[in-house]
Amino acid sequence: MDTRFTGVIPPVITPFTASGDVDYEDLDKIIDHLIDGGMHGLFVLGSSGEVAYLTDAERDEIVKRTVARAAGRVPVLAGAIDTTAKRVIEHAKRAEALGADGIVATCPFYAINDEEEFAAHFRAIAAAVSIPVFAYDVPVRLGGKKLSRDLLVRLGTEDVIAGVKDSSGDDVGFRRLVAANEKAGHPLALLSGHELMVDGMLLLGADGFVPGYGNVEPRPYREMWDASREGDWTRVRDIQDRIAAHFETVFAVKGRSGDATGIGAFKTAMVELGIIKANHMAFPIKPLEGANKDAVVAIMKEEGLI
Amino acid sequence: MDTRFTGVIPPVITPFTASGDVDYEDLDKIIDHLIDGGMHGLFVLGSSGEVAYLTDAERDEIVKRTVARAAGRVPVLAGAIDTTAKRVIEHAKRAEALGADGIVATCPFYAINDEEEFAAHFRAIAAAVSIPVFAYDVPVRLGGKKLSRDLLVRLGTEDVIAGVKDSSGDDVGFRRLVAANEKAGHPLALLSGHELMVDGMLLLGADGFVPGYGNVEPRPYREMWDASREGDWTRVRDIQDRIAAHFETVFAVKGRSGDATGIGAFKTAMVELGIIKANHMAFPIKPLEGANKDAVVAIMKEEGLI
Amino acid sequence: MDTRFTGVIPPVITPFTASGDVDYEDLDKIIDHLIDGGMHGLFVLGSSGEVAYLTDAERDEIVKRTVARAAGRVPVLAGAIDTTAKRVIEHAKRAEALGADGIVATCPFYAINDEEEFAAHFRAIAAAVSIPVFAYDVPVRLGGKKLSRDLLVRLGTEDVIAGVKDSSGDDVGFRRLVAANEKAGHPLALLSGHELMVDGMLLLGADGFVPGYGNVEPRPYREMWDASREGDWTRVRDIQDRIAAHFETVFAVKGRSGDATGIGAFKTAMVELGIIKANHMAFPIKPLEGANKDAVVAIMKEEGLI
Amino acid sequence: MDTRFTGVIPPVITPFTASGDVDYEDLDKIIDHLIDGGMHGLFVLGSSGEVAYLTDAERDEIVKRTVARAAGRVPVLAGAIDTTAKRVIEHAKRAEALGADGIVATCPFYAINDEEEFAAHFRAIAAAVSIPVFAYDVPVRLGGKKLSRDLLVRLGTEDVIAGVKDSSGDDVGFRRLVAANEKAGHPLALLSGHELMVDGMLLLGADGFVPGYGNVEPRPYREMWDASREGDWTRVRDIQDRIAAHFETVFAVKGRSGDATGIGAFKTAMVELGIIKANHMAFPIKPLEGANKDAVVAIMKEEGLI
């Protein structure tokens, strides 16, 4: 296992200006905020980074700026998110050239493929770059497509992928993946995206985790990680419970789309905490405002965050 | 309604060489085959065109070659398929510059949006090009996302979209869309992709249809259209029944992925009919072979196609 | 094929009193209304009959009353709806003893079975009674479970089932079922429950249909059937379009459950037309009232029904 | 919270004879096996008990026998599983009369209802019996229907339900339910059916759990519970990991239906361990045999169980 990619590696959100451009100044601030918060790595151009809304030019600039700002303090993973291998490879090569330390890629989407085609897909991507490739398992965005345990361990054993970013929410599947990975000699770094169940995921053997809410509060996630290394599971659980209470800011948003709700609540909280200037979202998403913004703020106050 | 985009407009399949490149020579042959077969238009870079597997450079070349080969004989619609508006617009502008007569775009995918965000998405795309934009409703590839009747008619009335390519398989929804479009003054050209139910869709008022199997046999689809214009519904039904019997070639394929099965069977049949040289698919899909190829050929023989 | 079970066979709705009991007096009126409206048969204890909400005692009484009131004028099919074969058989035997002419049964639900288990299920039910058994394909109520074409034709050829009540909405599947049934010598009476697509379903060869909205307006459905026998497809389509416009009463209901909406709108319209006294529903469903009732009535007025 | 219903309460499987009858002699053995294994209660007539396949007479006899055999050593919960409230109430009253200590009921199925209708459903059931009612949240058998956190806590606060048997697999939902229950004064006993994640569920605050595999090996589940009460989370995790390795017997079964696979593997293992005589299943399910039986046995040997 590549130990550079363990611990807490949040999916970095992308700040925008009112006109819909990426706010690179605020991006720098977020990067510092996360590294200062104890994060072990950064994952840019993920779903929480609104990657699907970004042009190639914007994606490139984000990788470039993040690599520059991180300046070797922590490794930088970059999403190479597109429908199929040929297109993913174009993104992956550019990210590698711009200094990313690793690539994160999903199985094909829009396309309708089977597991053998998934395997060929990841093999082609891995062969096209010389940095590690992580498989990104995110059924909720891919019409339910799930990467199987057997496929992942096979690709790990063959040195095709270096790890998995598991956003499937399938905890039993993750437990079985951890066990099979162990049996195979632990080739894969298994990162859980199950950010309200980090206690349980660490208890069963996750090598790290990728918490979207970590953009708002990195420090407690790091504390969870540290407590888990000491085997202090009661403390891990208590921190997770506290984060879960704060995370109710997301569930408080009503009547908005999935991306507007989750990422929108993170950004709104980050503005309140003074991390970024504005909660603008990628076009065509409007930022949270009115009752929804108030609901986020109310919970933050109730929880003593502001 | 823009009457250029009515009648039979097949989604042109993309032929490949053994090395995975687009076979432009065979593409020319397919275009002639379709126009000679009486098609009223061509739709390139759709799902059946394996658009999701093509790089931008390949997509551009396909539009260029198709426009050149069609040479004004029929209008050419080009898919501008990508996750969100900013990215779709880049494709759409290039397609317009390369001579496409219209654009076909889906709602956002990978992204998780709501209907208001869908509306803004289509408005932005339409504003970025000066050729007509068709909304492509294809839930099976988009994790179930469906464009609502009310949204489509609203966008039609506002002159944002010129029509709909409905691949939802939701025939009741399509009937209700036809009725609402009629009530609104028929702003939209409503094209059905429900290729085994063309008789029923024409009977209830479709303005045209987009049959994948039309790549194999364009002529009978044209005959259906013509018979429908004469109100000879028994003949329309009889032709559809015959096509459906031929279409069993697709259902005969076992154990392969969705794209390998459907598009694979079309290509395999086209090889047998001498339309293209080989049934290669886009990477990472392997062509049909062995028992699956035999099954396709057996049905073609049984049905007297070869 | 058993020709007694062809043509228009509506799923008879169950009227209730304010206290939640079956209103047998109104049931008699509905039966007369349907038979006078030209229906070829009656199907009691189906989904539209709110069968899932009825005790065994109520189910028995409904069969008894319907058989008595129909008095041989038309055949009576009775739903035997329960989770698995042993339980279904108890219902089926009672219905046979009470005079039903045929049984309608779904595949198992709550249980999680495969196709071979489905086959054994239907074989056991058929073996337990001496009247014909219809397979009821209704995925929307069964978590998506669909009876396959091959299973149905096999059971038809083996004389296990006499026909199918297809409420799957899968029109391509139905077309393929019609073709396979024809090839097998037409053992099955194939009844479509796709009540807003009756024109298309008759055009492609349905042996009959089972329209819930037929409870409100049986006559036009009968006229569609008769016109279809004469091959006057334009007329069939025109009648279906008119019914679809009336059916907007169902789509006008907002914010209520599935059963409250569909069956609720039928009952509300039936009250307006003087067929039944009240639009009460089975416990725990409250009848349509206020804005929803007004919306139904408004469409009925607009369409000249009242 | 009713503390009688906390700890480990397995869903008791139902043994059958070769002719498809319940094997009451083996049922007695299972009951003793479970109580001797340290279980805190028994839940008969659940999904693992193949309740959907049992007639009313069989259900009654199972309750009667279980109550007699348990003889007050542990409390007995009985499933009252049917489509809607009126029918559920008939089961619930009989179970109460036969001595059950509590009732477990799902939301309506086959029926299509909304949350207000769910609430009325549970209120009617609770009003009809004088023993506690548990809400059974089992979307996998109910077409995806999920009981919401807010509904459950509301019904708990109103004393309608005494607890929840959560078989949704939605761990984040369960965490939020635990937190909301706590905030409301802990009216509900929250039992998790997430049997391969018991460590995580106990860590976050489950009041108990309902493990199907507990039929095979009750003792380690009890040990997990005890270790959790002592806060020895490493030990809880280690036991869960070991159970998960044994549970691979279920995943080893290929090509069979859901019920044949899960319950079938449990029964096959129980035969190997000498707990019951035969692995017969309810009609129409055939027991595991041949390669599938061998696969189960092979894992049991590998794991040192036999």
Side-chain angles (χ1 to χ4, degrees), chain D residues 213 216 246 249 265 268-270 272-273 295-306:
Chain D
Y213 185 74
V216 185
H246 299 181
T249 43
T268 301
M270 290 169 81
E272 293 302 313
L273 293 171
V296 170
V297 171
I299 290 174
M300 292 181 76
K301 283 187 180 157
E302 200 182 309
E303 293 291 331
L305 278 165
I306 49 174

Side-chain angles (χ1 to χ4, degrees), chain D residues 281-296:
Chain D
M281 302 282 297
F283 178 83
I285 306 175
K286 291 186 187 152
L288 298 188
E289 51 196 358
N292 276 323
K293 190 184 155 187
D294 294 347
V296 170

